[in-house]
Amino acid sequence: MTDLLRPFMAWRWWLLSLAGVFVGILLGRQADSGDPELLAVQTILWVVLVYPFLEELVFRGGLQGWLLTWLRYAIGPITLANVLTSLAFALTHVMVWGHTAAALVFVPSLAFGWTRDAHGSVAGAVVMHALWNAAFLLGRALT
């Protein structure tokens, strides 16, 4: 099995992905639907494809990978590198979405980081991130 496909063969990846889809739909339904452009096709492509790829490449591939070379401490499956990367990831979301949304991004970020650590690749994190973002937009569309 190639390294690229390894995350998709793990039951934990599927469980986290499905949980994220469920929570994403619920949160999307609760979100303020005052911005009709959020559901425009171009925005959907960016939010579901481009942002997850770029963010996971930078945060999980770059920052978390670099931190793992220095910080090997972990509590269970969550590494300190993952926690610090997730904090940085959440803080970058404060600028765009505000404090509440940034706080809600922290836990999914830990799941993305776990996927990266467990499988040594950002591929699973990119797909999981895309699924969660798509579910959030689906929830928005259902309101």
Side-chain angles (χ1 to χ4, degrees):
M1 170 178 21
T2 68
D3 287 342
L4 188 63
L5 297 177
R6 186 177 306 156
F8 311 111
M9 300 302 156
W11 67 269
R12 287 184 182 122
W13 184 89
W14 286 101
L15 181 66
L16 284 171
S17 294
L18 291 174
V21 166
F22 178 73
V23 170
I25 290 171
L26 290 178
L27 289 175
R29 289 186 51 82
Q30 300 302 315
D32 175 27
S33 43
D35 184 7
E37 289 192 20
L38 187 60
L39 296 176
V41 173
Q42 182 179 5
T43 302
I44 291 170
L45 291 176
W46 277 93
V47 171
V48 175
L49 298 176
V50 177
Y51 290 155
F53 176 77
L54 294 176
E55 289 176 348
E56 295 310 314
L57 197 62
V58 169
F59 285 96
R60 255 53 71 182
L63 180 59
Q64 189 168 330
W66 178 78
L67 287 172
L68 277 171
T69 63
W70 300 98
L71 306 170
R72 286 311 213 166
Y73 182 76
I75 297 176
I78 305 297
T79 63
L80 180 57
N82 182 3
V83 171
L84 293 175
T85 300
S86 293
L87 283 171
F89 185 73
L91 286 173
T92 61
H93 284 73
V94 169
M95 297 179 283
V96 177
W97 298 105
H99 291 81
T100 303
L104 292 173
V105 165
F106 181 74
V107 173
S109 182
L110 289 173
F112 306 152
W114 168 83
T115 299
R116 186 258 183 258
D117 286 346
H119 303 288
S121 166
V122 297
V126 169
V127 173
M128 185 184 292
H129 191 156
L131 286 171
W132 288 24
N133 282 5
F136 180 80
L137 290 179
L138 176 62
R140 293 284 305 258
L142 294 174
T143 58

Short mmCIF file of all heavy atoms in Angstrom, two decimals, residues 89-141:
data_model
loop_
_atom_site.label_atom_id
_atom_site.label_comp_id
_atom_site.label_asym_id
_atom_site.label_seq_id
_atom_site.Cartn_x
_atom_site.Cartn_y
_atom_site.Cartn_z
N PHE A 89 -2.81 27.51 14.00
CA PHE A 89 -3.88 27.39 13.00
C PHE A 89 -5.13 28.14 13.47
O PHE A 89 -5.74 28.90 12.72
CB PHE A 89 -4.18 25.90 12.79
CG PHE A 89 -5.18 25.61 11.70
CD1 PHE A 89 -4.83 25.75 10.37
CD2 PHE A 89 -6.45 25.16 12.02
CE1 PHE A 89 -5.74 25.46 9.37
CE2 PHE A 89 -7.37 24.87 11.03
CZ PHE A 89 -7.02 25.03 9.69
N ALA A 90 -5.52 27.93 14.73
CA ALA A 90 -6.69 28.61 15.28
C ALA A 90 -6.48 30.12 15.32
O ALA A 90 -7.39 30.89 14.99
CB ALA A 90 -7.02 28.07 16.67
N LEU A 91 -5.29 30.55 15.70
CA LEU A 91 -5.02 31.99 15.77
C LEU A 91 -5.12 32.67 14.40
O LEU A 91 -5.57 33.81 14.31
CB LEU A 91 -3.64 32.24 16.39
CG LEU A 91 -3.56 32.02 17.89
CD1 LEU A 91 -2.12 32.14 18.38
CD2 LEU A 91 -4.46 33.00 18.64
N THR A 92 -4.72 31.97 13.36
CA THR A 92 -4.84 32.58 12.02
C THR A 92 -6.31 32.73 11.63
O THR A 92 -6.65 33.62 10.85
CB THR A 92 -4.12 31.76 10.94
OG1 THR A 92 -4.69 30.46 10.86
CG2 THR A 92 -2.63 31.67 11.22
N HIS A 93 -7.17 31.89 12.18
CA HIS A 93 -8.60 31.99 11.87
C HIS A 93 -9.29 33.12 12.63
O HIS A 93 -10.38 33.55 12.25
CB HIS A 93 -9.30 30.65 12.13
CG HIS A 93 -9.02 29.64 11.07
ND1 HIS A 93 -7.80 29.01 10.94
CD2 HIS A 93 -9.79 29.17 10.06
CE1 HIS A 93 -7.84 28.19 9.91
NE2 HIS A 93 -9.03 28.27 9.35
N VAL A 94 -8.67 33.61 13.70
CA VAL A 94 -9.23 34.75 14.44
C VAL A 94 -9.35 35.96 13.53
O VAL A 94 -10.34 36.68 13.55
CB VAL A 94 -8.35 35.10 15.67
CG1 VAL A 94 -8.76 36.43 16.28
CG2 VAL A 94 -8.44 34.01 16.71
N MET A 95 -8.34 36.17 12.69
CA MET A 95 -8.32 37.34 11.81
C MET A 95 -9.49 37.37 10.84
O MET A 95 -9.99 38.42 10.50
CB MET A 95 -6.99 37.40 11.04
CG MET A 95 -5.78 37.57 11.93
SD MET A 95 -4.23 37.62 11.00
CE MET A 95 -4.00 35.89 10.63
N VAL A 96 -9.92 36.21 10.40
CA VAL A 96 -10.98 36.13 9.40
C VAL A 96 -12.35 35.89 10.02
O VAL A 96 -13.33 36.53 9.65
CB VAL A 96 -10.67 35.02 8.37
CG1 VAL A 96 -11.78 34.88 7.36
CG2 VAL A 96 -9.35 35.29 7.68
N TRP A 97 -12.43 34.97 10.97
CA TRP A 97 -13.72 34.50 11.47
C TRP A 97 -14.06 34.97 12.88
O TRP A 97 -15.18 34.76 13.33
CB TRP A 97 -13.77 32.97 11.43
CG TRP A 97 -13.66 32.45 10.05
CD1 TRP A 97 -12.57 31.87 9.48
CD2 TRP A 97 -14.66 32.47 9.03
NE1 TRP A 97 -12.82 31.53 8.18
CE2 TRP A 97 -14.11 31.88 7.88
CE3 TRP A 97 -15.97 32.92 8.98
CZ2 TRP A 97 -14.82 31.74 6.70
CZ3 TRP A 97 -16.68 32.78 7.81
CH2 TRP A 97 -16.10 32.19 6.69
N GLY A 98 -13.11 35.52 13.60
CA GLY A 98 -13.39 35.95 14.98
C GLY A 98 -13.02 34.88 15.99
O GLY A 98 -12.64 33.77 15.64
N HIS A 99 -13.13 35.24 17.26
CA HIS A 99 -12.66 34.38 18.34
C HIS A 99 -13.44 33.08 18.49
O HIS A 99 -12.85 32.03 18.71
CB HIS A 99 -12.68 35.16 19.66
CG HIS A 99 -11.66 36.23 19.72
ND1 HIS A 99 -11.86 37.46 19.12
CD2 HIS A 99 -10.42 36.27 20.27
CE1 HIS A 99 -10.79 38.21 19.31
NE2 HIS A 99 -9.91 37.52 20.00
N THR A 100 -14.74 33.13 18.39
CA THR A 100 -15.55 31.92 18.58
C THR A 100 -15.24 30.87 17.52
O THR A 100 -14.99 29.71 17.83
CB THR A 100 -17.06 32.25 18.57
OG1 THR A 100 -17.31 33.23 19.57
CG2 THR A 100 -17.88 31.02 18.83
N ALA A 101 -15.24 31.29 16.27
CA ALA A 101 -14.95 30.36 15.19
C ALA A 101 -13.53 29.82 15.30
O ALA A 101 -13.28 28.63 15.05
CB ALA A 101 -15.16 31.02 13.84
N ALA A 102 -12.60 30.68 15.68
CA ALA A 102 -11.21 30.23 15.83
C ALA A 102 -11.10 29.18 16.92
O ALA A 102 -10.38 28.19 16.77
CB ALA A 102 -10.31 31.41 16.13
N ALA A 103 -11.84 29.35 18.01
CA ALA A 103 -11.83 28.35 19.08
C ALA A 103 -12.41 27.03 18.58
O ALA A 103 -11.91 25.95 18.92
CB ALA A 103 -12.60 28.87 20.28
N LEU A 104 -13.44 27.11 17.75
CA LEU A 104 -14.06 25.89 17.21
C LEU A 104 -13.15 25.18 16.21
O LEU A 104 -13.32 24.00 15.95
CB LEU A 104 -15.39 26.22 16.54
CG LEU A 104 -16.50 26.68 17.49
CD1 LEU A 104 -17.71 27.15 16.71
CD2 LEU A 104 -16.87 25.57 18.46
N VAL A 105 -12.18 25.88 15.65
CA VAL A 105 -11.25 25.30 14.68
C VAL A 105 -10.16 24.48 15.37
O VAL A 105 -9.57 23.60 14.78
CB VAL A 105 -10.62 26.44 13.82
CG1 VAL A 105 -9.41 26.00 13.07
CG2 VAL A 105 -11.67 27.00 12.88
N PHE A 106 -9.92 24.75 16.66
CA PHE A 106 -8.83 24.10 17.37
C PHE A 106 -8.97 22.57 17.40
O PHE A 106 -8.01 21.85 17.10
CB PHE A 106 -8.70 24.66 18.79
CG PHE A 106 -7.57 24.05 19.56
CD1 PHE A 106 -6.26 24.39 19.29
CD2 PHE A 106 -7.82 23.11 20.55
CE1 PHE A 106 -5.21 23.83 19.99
CE2 PHE A 106 -6.79 22.53 21.26
CZ PHE A 106 -5.48 22.89 20.98
N VAL A 107 -10.14 22.06 17.75
CA VAL A 107 -10.32 20.60 17.87
C VAL A 107 -10.19 19.90 16.52
O VAL A 107 -9.47 18.90 16.41
CB VAL A 107 -11.64 20.26 18.59
CG1 VAL A 107 -11.92 18.77 18.55
CG2 VAL A 107 -11.59 20.76 20.03
N PRO A 108 -10.86 20.41 15.46
CA PRO A 108 -10.62 19.78 14.16
C PRO A 108 -9.14 19.80 13.76
O PRO A 108 -8.63 18.85 13.19
CB PRO A 108 -11.47 20.60 13.19
CG PRO A 108 -12.53 21.19 14.03
CD PRO A 108 -11.91 21.42 15.38
N SER A 109 -8.47 20.89 14.11
CA SER A 109 -7.05 20.99 13.79
C SER A 109 -6.26 19.88 14.47
O SER A 109 -5.32 19.33 13.88
CB SER A 109 -6.51 22.36 14.20
OG SER A 109 -5.16 22.48 13.87
N LEU A 110 -6.62 19.54 15.70
CA LEU A 110 -5.96 18.42 16.38
C LEU A 110 -6.18 17.11 15.62
O LEU A 110 -5.28 16.27 15.52
CB LEU A 110 -6.47 18.28 17.81
CG LEU A 110 -6.04 19.34 18.80
CD1 LEU A 110 -6.77 19.14 20.13
CD2 LEU A 110 -4.54 19.35 19.01
N ALA A 111 -7.40 16.94 15.07
CA ALA A 111 -7.68 15.74 14.28
C ALA A 111 -6.84 15.71 13.01
O ALA A 111 -6.28 14.67 12.64
CB ALA A 111 -9.17 15.67 13.94
N PHE A 112 -6.73 16.85 12.34
CA PHE A 112 -5.90 16.92 11.13
C PHE A 112 -4.44 16.60 11.48
O PHE A 112 -3.76 15.86 10.76
CB PHE A 112 -5.96 18.30 10.47
CG PHE A 112 -7.36 18.79 10.17
CD1 PHE A 112 -7.62 20.16 10.14
CD2 PHE A 112 -8.41 17.93 9.93
CE1 PHE A 112 -8.89 20.64 9.86
CE2 PHE A 112 -9.69 18.40 9.65
CZ PHE A 112 -9.93 19.76 9.62
N GLY A 113 -3.97 17.17 12.60
CA GLY A 113 -2.60 16.93 13.03
C GLY A 113 -2.35 15.50 13.43
O GLY A 113 -1.29 14.93 13.17
N TRP A 114 -3.34 14.88 14.09
CA TRP A 114 -3.20 13.47 14.45
C TRP A 114 -3.03 12.63 13.18
O TRP A 114 -2.20 11.71 13.13
CB TRP A 114 -4.42 12.98 15.24
CG TRP A 114 -4.41 11.48 15.34
CD1 TRP A 114 -3.72 10.72 16.24
CD2 TRP A 114 -5.07 10.57 14.45
NE1 TRP A 114 -3.93 9.38 15.96
CE2 TRP A 114 -4.75 9.26 14.87
CE3 TRP A 114 -5.90 10.73 13.34
CZ2 TRP A 114 -5.24 8.13 14.22
CZ3 TRP A 114 -6.38 9.60 12.70
CH2 TRP A 114 -6.05 8.32 13.14
N THR A 115 -3.84 12.94 12.16
CA THR A 115 -3.76 12.20 10.90
C THR A 115 -2.36 12.32 10.30
O THR A 115 -1.78 11.34 9.86
CB THR A 115 -4.81 12.73 9.90
OG1 THR A 115 -6.10 12.53 10.45
CG2 THR A 115 -4.72 12.03 8.57
N ARG A 116 -1.81 13.52 10.34
CA ARG A 116 -0.47 13.75 9.81
C ARG A 116 0.57 12.95 10.60
O ARG A 116 1.45 12.31 10.05
CB ARG A 116 -0.15 15.25 9.85
CG ARG A 116 1.17 15.60 9.19
CD ARG A 116 2.21 15.86 10.28
NE ARG A 116 3.46 16.27 9.69
CZ ARG A 116 4.51 15.46 9.56
NH1 ARG A 116 4.46 14.22 9.92
NH2 ARG A 116 5.62 15.91 9.02
N ASP A 117 0.46 13.00 11.95
CA ASP A 117 1.42 12.28 12.79
C ASP A 117 1.29 10.77 12.63
O ASP A 117 2.29 10.06 12.54
CB ASP A 117 1.22 12.64 14.26
CG ASP A 117 1.72 14.03 14.61
OD1 ASP A 117 2.46 14.63 13.81
OD2 ASP A 117 1.36 14.51 15.71
N ALA A 118 0.07 10.28 12.62
CA ALA A 118 -0.16 8.83 12.58
C ALA A 118 0.27 8.21 11.27
O ALA A 118 0.66 7.04 11.22
CB ALA A 118 -1.64 8.53 12.84
N HIS A 119 0.19 8.97 10.19
CA HIS A 119 0.44 8.39 8.87
C HIS A 119 1.63 9.00 8.14
O HIS A 119 1.95 8.58 7.04
CB HIS A 119 -0.83 8.48 8.02
CG HIS A 119 -1.99 7.81 8.68
ND1 HIS A 119 -2.11 6.45 8.80
CD2 HIS A 119 -3.08 8.33 9.30
CE1 HIS A 119 -3.20 6.15 9.46
NE2 HIS A 119 -3.82 7.27 9.78
N GLY A 120 2.25 10.02 8.73
CA GLY A 120 3.44 10.60 8.14
C GLY A 120 3.21 11.31 6.82
O GLY A 120 4.12 11.46 6.02
N SER A 121 1.97 11.74 6.59
CA SER A 121 1.61 12.37 5.33
C SER A 121 0.51 13.39 5.58
O SER A 121 -0.30 13.22 6.49
CB SER A 121 1.12 11.31 4.34
OG SER A 121 0.47 11.90 3.24
N VAL A 122 0.47 14.42 4.75
CA VAL A 122 -0.61 15.41 4.87
C VAL A 122 -1.81 15.02 4.01
O VAL A 122 -2.85 15.68 4.09
CB VAL A 122 -0.14 16.84 4.52
CG1 VAL A 122 0.92 17.31 5.48
CG2 VAL A 122 0.31 16.95 3.09
N ALA A 123 -1.72 13.97 3.23
CA ALA A 123 -2.82 13.59 2.32
C ALA A 123 -4.12 13.37 3.07
O ALA A 123 -5.18 13.90 2.70
CB ALA A 123 -2.45 12.35 1.52
N GLY A 124 -4.09 12.59 4.14
CA GLY A 124 -5.29 12.33 4.92
C GLY A 124 -5.83 13.59 5.57
O GLY A 124 -7.04 13.79 5.66
N ALA A 125 -4.94 14.46 6.02
CA ALA A 125 -5.35 15.72 6.65
C ALA A 125 -6.03 16.63 5.63
O ALA A 125 -7.03 17.28 5.94
CB ALA A 125 -4.15 16.41 7.28
N VAL A 126 -5.51 16.67 4.41
CA VAL A 126 -6.11 17.50 3.36
C VAL A 126 -7.53 17.03 3.05
O VAL A 126 -8.46 17.83 2.99
CB VAL A 126 -5.24 17.50 2.08
CG1 VAL A 126 -5.98 18.13 0.91
CG2 VAL A 126 -3.92 18.20 2.32
N VAL A 127 -7.70 15.73 2.87
CA VAL A 127 -9.02 15.19 2.53
C VAL A 127 -9.99 15.38 3.69
O VAL A 127 -11.14 15.78 3.50
CB VAL A 127 -8.92 13.71 2.10
CG1 VAL A 127 -10.30 13.10 1.90
CG2 VAL A 127 -8.10 13.59 0.82
N MET A 128 -9.54 15.10 4.93
CA MET A 128 -10.40 15.29 6.09
C MET A 128 -10.82 16.75 6.22
O MET A 128 -11.99 17.06 6.46
CB MET A 128 -9.68 14.83 7.37
CG MET A 128 -10.56 14.88 8.61
SD MET A 128 -9.66 14.44 10.12
CE MET A 128 -9.35 12.71 9.86
N HIS A 129 -9.88 17.66 6.05
CA HIS A 129 -10.15 19.09 6.13
C HIS A 129 -11.17 19.50 5.06
O HIS A 129 -12.12 20.23 5.33
CB HIS A 129 -8.84 19.85 5.95
CG HIS A 129 -8.88 21.30 6.27
ND1 HIS A 129 -7.76 22.00 6.63
CD2 HIS A 129 -9.89 22.22 6.25
CE1 HIS A 129 -8.08 23.26 6.84
NE2 HIS A 129 -9.37 23.43 6.60
N ALA A 130 -10.99 19.00 3.85
CA ALA A 130 -11.92 19.30 2.76
C ALA A 130 -13.32 18.78 3.07
O ALA A 130 -14.32 19.48 2.84
CB ALA A 130 -11.40 18.72 1.44
N LEU A 131 -13.42 17.57 3.61
CA LEU A 131 -14.71 17.00 3.97
C LEU A 131 -15.40 17.83 5.04
O LEU A 131 -16.60 18.11 4.96
CB LEU A 131 -14.55 15.56 4.47
CG LEU A 131 -14.26 14.50 3.42
CD1 LEU A 131 -13.91 13.17 4.10
CD2 LEU A 131 -15.44 14.32 2.49
N TRP A 132 -14.65 18.24 6.05
CA TRP A 132 -15.23 19.03 7.14
C TRP A 132 -15.70 20.39 6.63
O TRP A 132 -16.76 20.86 7.00
CB TRP A 132 -14.23 19.18 8.28
CG TRP A 132 -14.01 17.91 9.06
CD1 TRP A 132 -14.21 16.63 8.63
CD2 TRP A 132 -13.55 17.80 10.40
NE1 TRP A 132 -13.89 15.74 9.62
CE2 TRP A 132 -13.47 16.42 10.72
CE3 TRP A 132 -13.15 18.72 11.36
CZ2 TRP A 132 -13.06 15.96 11.96
CZ3 TRP A 132 -12.73 18.25 12.59
CH2 TRP A 132 -12.69 16.90 12.88
N ASN A 133 -14.90 21.02 5.78
CA ASN A 133 -15.32 22.32 5.22
C ASN A 133 -16.56 22.16 4.34
O ASN A 133 -17.47 22.98 4.38
CB ASN A 133 -14.19 22.94 4.40
CG ASN A 133 -13.12 23.59 5.27
OD1 ASN A 133 -13.15 23.50 6.49
ND2 ASN A 133 -12.17 24.24 4.64
N ALA A 134 -16.59 21.10 3.54
CA ALA A 134 -17.75 20.85 2.67
C ALA A 134 -19.00 20.62 3.52
O ALA A 134 -20.09 21.11 3.19
CB ALA A 134 -17.49 19.65 1.77
N ALA A 135 -18.86 19.89 4.62
CA ALA A 135 -20.00 19.64 5.50
C ALA A 135 -20.51 20.93 6.12
O ALA A 135 -21.72 21.14 6.23
CB ALA A 135 -19.61 18.64 6.58
N PHE A 136 -19.59 21.81 6.50
CA PHE A 136 -20.01 23.10 7.07
C PHE A 136 -20.81 23.89 6.04
O PHE A 136 -21.87 24.44 6.34
CB PHE A 136 -18.78 23.90 7.52
CG PHE A 136 -19.13 25.22 8.11
CD1 PHE A 136 -19.56 25.33 9.42
CD2 PHE A 136 -19.05 26.38 7.33
CE1 PHE A 136 -19.90 26.57 9.96
CE2 PHE A 136 -19.39 27.61 7.87
CZ PHE A 136 -19.82 27.70 9.18
N LEU A 137 -20.32 23.93 4.81
CA LEU A 137 -21.05 24.66 3.75
C LEU A 137 -22.39 24.00 3.45
O LEU A 137 -23.38 24.69 3.19
CB LEU A 137 -20.20 24.75 2.48
CG LEU A 137 -18.98 25.65 2.56
CD1 LEU A 137 -18.22 25.62 1.24
CD2 LEU A 137 -19.36 27.06 2.93
N LEU A 138 -22.45 22.67 3.50
CA LEU A 138 -23.71 21.97 3.31
C LEU A 138 -24.70 22.37 4.40
O LEU A 138 -25.88 22.64 4.12
CB LEU A 138 -23.50 20.46 3.31
CG LEU A 138 -24.76 19.60 3.20
CD1 LEU A 138 -25.49 19.89 1.88
CD2 LEU A 138 -24.41 18.13 3.32
N GLY A 139 -24.20 22.42 5.63
CA GLY A 139 -25.05 22.87 6.73
C GLY A 139 -25.58 24.28 6.51
O GLY A 139 -26.75 24.58 6.77
N ARG A 140 -24.72 25.15 6.00
CA ARG A 140 -25.14 26.53 5.68
C ARG A 140 -26.22 26.53 4.62
O ARG A 140 -27.18 27.29 4.68
CB ARG A 140 -23.95 27.37 5.19
CG ARG A 140 -22.87 27.67 6.18
CD ARG A 140 -23.26 28.75 7.18
NE ARG A 140 -23.69 29.99 6.58
CZ ARG A 140 -22.96 31.09 6.47
NH1 ARG A 140 -21.73 31.08 6.92
NH2 ARG A 140 -23.44 32.17 5.93
N ALA A 141 -26.06 25.68 3.62
CA ALA A 141 -27.03 25.63 2.52
C ALA A 141 -28.38 25.09 2.98
O ALA A 141 -29.41 25.43 2.40
CB ALA A 141 -26.47 24.77 1.39
#
